[in-house]
Amino acid sequence: MLMRTDPFREIDRLTQQLLGPGTWSKPSAMPMDAYRDGDVYVIAFDVPGVSKEAIDIDVERNMLTVKAERRPVAKSDQAQMELSERPLGVFSRQIMLADTLDTENIDADYDAGVLTLRIPIAERAKPRKIAIGDGARKQLSS
């Protein structure tokens, strides 16, 4: 038998039970990190216990939507649940992407419960040198 000693974990569990699991119409939040690494923007989502097939990634215009569903693990008929703290249901996150990102070339990887998206910085947004002319303007002929 398991013994619980953290009162805050119990409060979190009760809150989750009151709010219920996330559904497709009202998903729960999904934790994430986002950072720039050179010419790539990286977003990492925590989705432990979710199979790769249960993750859905969409981009419409500049809105990135990530949804994942964690289902209960099949148990035998004789199993008795002693403790259930792992949240189930649908998790989702929507992020407005800047126009400076190349949404046509997003790369997604899933490893050890972390979904990592790599979004390249668009060429038009990268710094570039501007050549300086010699001062003579070309005249248009009429």
Side-chain angles (χ1 to χ4, degrees):
M1 183 161 162
L2 299 174
M3 301 298 291
R4 285 179 266 179
T5 58
D6 184 358
F8 297 107
R9 184 176 299 164
E10 186 66 16
I11 291 171
D12 289 343
R13 186 184 66 78
L14 290 172
T15 303
Q16 180 67 27
Q17 281 183 340
L18 290 174
L19 297 176
T23 63
W24 284 102
S25 60
K26 188 178 177 188
S28 298
M30 172 187 321
M32 64 172 244
D33 290 335
Y35 56 93
R36 184 173 175 167
D37 185 9
D39 288 339
V40 177
Y41 206 78
V42 181
I43 306 173
F45 299 91
D46 280 350
V47 284
V50 175
S51 70
K52 187 167 82 169
E53 293 75 24
I55 300 173
D56 187 40
I57 306 168
D58 289 316
V59 176
E60 184 176 340
R61 295 190 183 118
N62 285 6
M63 181 64 72
L64 171 72
T65 304
V66 177
K67 283 190 176 183
E69 183 175 13
R70 184 181 304 132
R71 296 185 176 137
V73 178
K75 299 173 207 53
S76 71
D77 292 337
Q78 300 188 351
Q80 290 183 296
M81 184 62 74
E82 298 252 345
L83 180 64
S84 179
E85 294 181 345
R86 298 172 58 218
L88 301 174
V90 178
F91 302 86
S92 179
R93 197 69 184 253
Q94 283 192 314
I95 303 165
M96 181 64 80
L97 300 176
D99 290 333
T100 58
L101 298 176
D102 183 1
T103 58
E104 296 294 320
N105 293 302
I106 296 175
D107 181 45
D109 290 311
Y110 185 59
D111 184 40
V114 178
L115 173 67
T116 304
L117 303 182
R118 295 183 191 316
I119 310 168
I121 306 294
E123 287 298 321
R124 68 182 179 278
K126 292 179 183 175
R128 60 191 179 280
K129 295 284 184 186
I130 306 296
I132 301 173
D134 60 7
R137 291 184 176 224
K138 294 183 182 180
Q139 300 232 348
L140 296 176
S141 56
S142 339

